[in-house]
Amino acid sequence: MNRRDFIKGTLTLATAAAINPSNLFFVRADAAGNNSWWQKKSVYQVYPKSFMDTNGDGIGDLRGIINKLDYIQSLGVGAIWLTPIYSSPMADNGYDISDYTAINPTFGTMADFEELVAEADKRGMKIVMDLVFNHSSDKHPWFLESKTSRDNPKADWYIWREGINDNPPTNWQSIFGGSAWEWNDDRGQYYLHTFSRYQPDLNWENPEVRRALYDAANFWLDKGVGGFRIDAIVYIKKPEGFTDGATDSEGNCSIHNMTANQPGILDFLQEFKREVFDGHDIFTVAEANAVKPKDLPQWVGDKGVFDMLFEFSHVNVIFPEGEIWHKAADFNLVEFKKALSASQNATRNSWYPIYFENHDRPRSIDIFFPEDADKKLAAKALATILFTLRGTPFIYQGEELGFGNADADGFRNINDYDDISSIGQYELGYHAGLSEEENMKIIRKYSRDNARTPMQWDASKNAGFSVGKPWLPIHKDYKTCNAAEEDLDQESVLIYYRHLSAMRNESEVLINGDYKEYFSDNEEIYVYTRALGDKKIGVAVNFTTHDVKLPFNIFGGCTKINGNYHGEEYFLRPTEAIIYEFNN
Ligand code: NOJ
Ligand code: CA
């Protein structure tokens, strides 16, 4: 049977969608029915430390981002999210802030920042800042003061408690491993830290703390930023009483289970919205790993606090027992699709960020596809989904080049890793009895440093990232996988990203169309449609490395408009992704 026969003999679903009333709503539309600017283009996430170094110290900087704005713009981007660039001792690479309104001198100056905002603006892009308000650095002057005594003016700006019989107040484990409580001799008390001990949690119950944080956010609005990504926000409200929680099979009680999304959090968030976001043409995207679909209306959309929310369920299908790396499970496509469909369906009346990568995740092609999958095809297959689900696509630097997990001689043992979480997870593995070899295999696969190796700009020394010694090793494949080479190669992942991003930005149906999944139990392929009025687009992606037949010909009477292979077969080829348009 050839392709033509296949199309002719089959049923189509095109007509059913044409009269679906759910196609008719618009989200955050203005009076003229237009979407907001941040719904019509992608967001590009920059990890400044690893993006582009201009002064040879081996660390990326703001001038490096300015130099690469045309490159970012070429990806159809409306905003650039910068992970933290504030003053910081960098224990957690900037997520430990010691001054909320100063630029880390390693990255540049306030003048550089202002130039970045202006230059991005000229290219139709906004700069989005990362607000880290659950905790500060332990070197922040607020904490330095708070820890001096129990009665200084900032004594109550952090969360201090008495121990119990020489033990921490509760059995909570921090997200990076170890007790969530750290002893302080001066106060003779413990302080709480959801993440590392260098990141003490701020006390949001104190109105002065909240005021200081809102002021900091408003400072950046005055600088002309286009929005905020809001870090770890589900943890800001602590439970009323601090009590021990249930332990897992290894005797641990994650603080996440005890403090995420506590009653009362929405009061803080509503105030945050009123004091900072309201009245500005910006977008907000909250990192919120615990918000259930039923609670979404209070969190996102017209009645919610934020415009979008990063939740983790699709990326965490590999961690069914929580984010403990040595307990990772194999990738399960059915669960992955279930998570994506759940968020697509739960945000029909609001909006959603689509993402597969960020600075906290291993590279996606090494997680979501079998080891023997062609990496380029896999990168393009995920891009196909990234640009065709309903929501704003978030591209993480290097994802558009088809970066895989770090393969570099520089990562030999745990001491070669910079990522604080890798070190915590290594300790968890060690205590769970893993051999050194097993433990390092896990770290190599899941380390956040996989996503933090320097950008590969060209085939020159250090991949064109720096003339100095890069702070993290460069991936071995930089001679072939780099922006300059891919720019010239019509078959590259980069060119595919540019095409798909442009297609999505111009497509009313891809921006606003209703989502519907097919064959949700199928373990090999992901199939869905997007429909708006009489327009309909279908997507099919083969997650295996063998040919797969579509269960029945859902795409009869359709025309292929894009995909990661040339031509068409009547089955999906290994790792093939196709975008179809339904003919009316
Ligand atoms: C989430 C950030 O993305 C991550 O990099 C950081 O370590 C934690 N929050 C703590 O701020
Ligand atoms: Ca530099």
Side-chain angles (χ1 to χ4, degrees):
M1 183 166 75
N2 66 27
R3 170 77 196 157
R4 192 164 293 279
D5 296 337
F6 173 69
I7 290 174
K8 262 199 283 173
T10 50
L11 114 123
T12 96
L13 298 176
T15 38
I19 41 170
N20 180 349
S22 61
N23 295 335
L24 300 176
F25 69 80
F26 289 87
V27 183
R28 288 293 300 260
D30 63 19
N34 296 317
N35 294 93
S36 300
W37 62 270
W38 45 267
Q39 294 174 315
K40 291 191 285 195
K41 285 189 172 179
S42 300
V43 176
Y44 190 83
Q45 184 192 348
V46 167
Y47 196 71
K49 200 172 176 185
S50 301
F51 195 59
M52 179 69 202
D53 173 27
T54 55
N55 64 351
D57 64 357
I59 297 175
D61 42 54
L62 295 181
R63 298 228 67 82
I65 305 173
I66 295 172
N67 290 353
K68 296 295 181 185
L69 284 172
D70 289 339
Y71 171 82
I72 300 176
Q73 185 192 22
S74 78
L75 285 157
V77 164
I80 302 170
W81 153 27
L82 304 180
T83 56
I85 52 168
Y86 318 95
S87 287
S88 163
M90 301 296 268
D92 186 19
N93 277 327
Y95 284 93
D96 48 323
I97 297 171
S98 53
D99 185 342
Y100 284 97
T101 54
I103 303 286
N104 184 338
T106 310
F107 292 137
T109 62
M110 194 58 84
D112 293 334
F113 180 77
E114 285 161 2
E115 190 177 327
L116 174 62
V117 170
E119 287 299 317
D121 233 29
K122 280 188 202 157
R123 294 166 177 82
M125 300 184 290
K126 296 279 176 200
I127 299 297
V128 167
M129 296 295 268
D130 207 318
L131 296 181
V132 189
F133 283 179
N134 173 68
H135 46 271
S136 74
S137 161
D138 65 335
K139 302 292 180 310
H140 194 295
W142 299 341
F143 186 75
L144 297 179
E145 189 174 341
S146 187
K147 73 175 189 176
T148 55
S149 67
R150 296 183 185 203
D151 56 8
N152 69 78
K154 300 230 165 20
D156 197 23
W157 278 46
Y158 293 83
I159 297 166
W160 296 97
R161 289 289 184 282
E162 312 301 324
I164 299 175
N165 304 329
D166 288 341
N167 285 317
T170 66
N171 65 348
W172 306 350
Q173 298 279 305
S174 77
I175 289 183
F176 292 155
S179 172
W181 296 98
E182 182 76 9
W183 174 255
N184 177 268
D185 269 340
D186 293 334
R187 286 187 56 140
Q189 279 181 313
Y190 289 87
Y191 66 85
L192 185 68
H193 56 90
T194 301
F195 295 90
S196 79
R197 64 174 185 275
Y198 311 110
Q199 296 162 293
D201 281 36
L202 285 152
N203 179 14
W204 272 69
E205 301 297 335
N206 183 332
E208 287 175 32
V209 170
R210 304 205 298 276
R211 183 73 264 153
L213 295 173
Y214 303 152
D215 287 350
N218 282 322
F219 172 91
W220 295 104
L221 282 179
D222 291 344
K223 294 266 170 217
V225 304
F228 299 112
R229 178 265 188 187
I230 299 138
D231 188 71
I233 198 68
V234 289
Y235 301 117
I236 58 171
K237 177 82 185 178
K238 312 302 185 222
E240 237 163 53
F242 286 4
T243 51
D244 280 355
T247 52
D248 65 13
S249 55
E250 284 169 11
N252 295 321
C253 165
S254 170
I255 188 169
H256 173 86
N257 301 336
M258 307 306 292
T259 62
N261 199 4
Q262 289 298 303
I265 189 170
L266 285 159
D267 297 335
F268 287 157
L269 295 180
Q270 285 293 350
E271 181 187 80
F272 191 177
K273 177 173 187 272
R274 275 196 309 277
E275 296 292 326
V276 181
F277 316 144
D278 277 353
H280 297 275
D281 185 18
I282 59 166
F283 76 81
T284 55
V285 54
E287 188 199 30
N289 168 25
V291 179
K292 305 254 174 343
K294 73 171 177 39
D295 295 329
L296 273 177
Q298 291 162 299
W299 283 75
V300 285
D302 286 343
K303 296 200 183 64
V305 175
F306 303 108
D307 294 308
M308 297 181 261
L309 188 145
F310 286 127
E311 46 107 17
F312 293 11
S313 49
H314 67 300
V315 285
N316 269 356
V317 290
I318 51 169
F319 297 124
E321 293 185 49
E323 252 185 85
I324 300 173
W325 297 353
H326 66 262
K327 291 187 171 181
D330 288 341
F331 174 66
N332 178 323
L333 179 63
V334 172
E335 291 301 316
F336 180 70
K337 296 189 298 183
K338 203 193 274 175
L340 285 172
S341 288
S343 27
Q344 289 283 296
N345 293 331
T347 52
R348 293 169 100 94
N349 294 312
S350 54
W351 200 250
Y352 189 69
I354 315 298
Y355 78 97
F356 298 117
E357 290 193 5
N358 60 38
H359 61 292
D360 293 334
R361 308 260 139 216
R363 291 290 183 175
S364 53
I365 54 178
D366 285 299
I367 296 296
F368 302 132
F369 285 90
E371 250 172 59
D372 62 338
D374 178 286
K375 302 291 176 211
K376 246 169 97 167
L377 287 174
K380 291 179 183 178
L382 274 175
T384 308
I385 302 171
L386 183 70
F387 292 108
T388 57
L389 285 179
R390 185 173 168 281
T392 298
F394 277 68
I395 308 164
Y396 177 67
Q397 67 181 51
E399 186 178 4
E400 77 279 12
L401 299 174
F403 272 27
N405 266 349
D407 178 11
D409 293 335
F411 290 117
R412 278 171 306 260
N413 58 49
I414 191 65
N415 299 324
D416 296 327
Y417 284 81
D418 169 88
D419 166 28
I420 197 166
S421 157
S422 298
I423 294 156
Q425 292 280 348
Y426 176 86
E427 276 163 21
L428 288 179
Y430 179 83
H431 291 301
L434 265 62
S435 71
E436 175 66 13
E437 200 187 328
E438 287 165 335
N439 210 0
M440 281 314 298
K441 198 170 159 211
I442 303 282
I443 299 299
R444 248 172 238 123
K445 179 153 187 190
Y446 299 108
S447 174
R448 304 193 299 178
D449 282 346
N450 281 308
R452 299 175 181 187
T453 59
M455 252 313 252
Q456 295 162 201
W457 293 107
D458 57 41
S460 69
K461 193 172 173 231
N462 297 332
F465 163 71
S466 172
V467 295
K469 186 176 182 303
W471 74 281
L472 262 196
I474 308 260
H475 197 297
K476 274 186 193 157
D477 67 3
Y478 77 94
K479 293 230 155 109
T480 48
C481 182
N482 66 59
E485 297 280 324
E486 294 199 24
D487 192 46
L488 299 174
D489 172 7
Q490 285 310 305
E491 301 298 317
S492 71
V493 177
L494 176 63
I495 299 288
Y496 192 79
Y497 262 75
R498 287 187 182 142
H499 281 156
L500 259 62
S501 184
M503 176 188 77
R504 187 254 172 208
N505 291 353
E506 281 154 24
S507 164
E508 185 73 5
V509 59
L510 284 180
I511 294 175
N512 287 314
D514 196 29
Y515 166 88
K516 183 164 162 51
E517 189 196 350
Y518 297 84
F519 318 124
S520 53
D521 292 337
N522 187 300
E523 293 170 359
E524 301 185 310
I525 57 177
Y526 185 22
V527 179
Y528 54 89
T529 54
R530 302 288 313 285
L532 184 72
D534 60 355
K535 294 243 176 331
K536 188 163 163 181
I537 281 178
V539 177
V541 180
N542 178 0
F543 274 78
T544 77
T545 50
H546 52 259
D547 295 340
V548 177
K549 253 185 131 164
L550 285 169
F552 69 91
N553 183 18
I554 173 181
F555 296 126
C558 300
T559 309
K560 174 178 169 181
I561 53 170
N562 230 316
N564 59 356
Y565 274 86
H566 290 289
E568 266 178 290
E569 292 293 343
Y570 55 88
F571 50 82
L572 290 171
R573 289 163 279 189
T575 325
E576 181 161 18
I578 304 191
I579 306 176
Y580 296 100
E581 194 166 50
F582 282 69
N583 305 324
N584 292 314

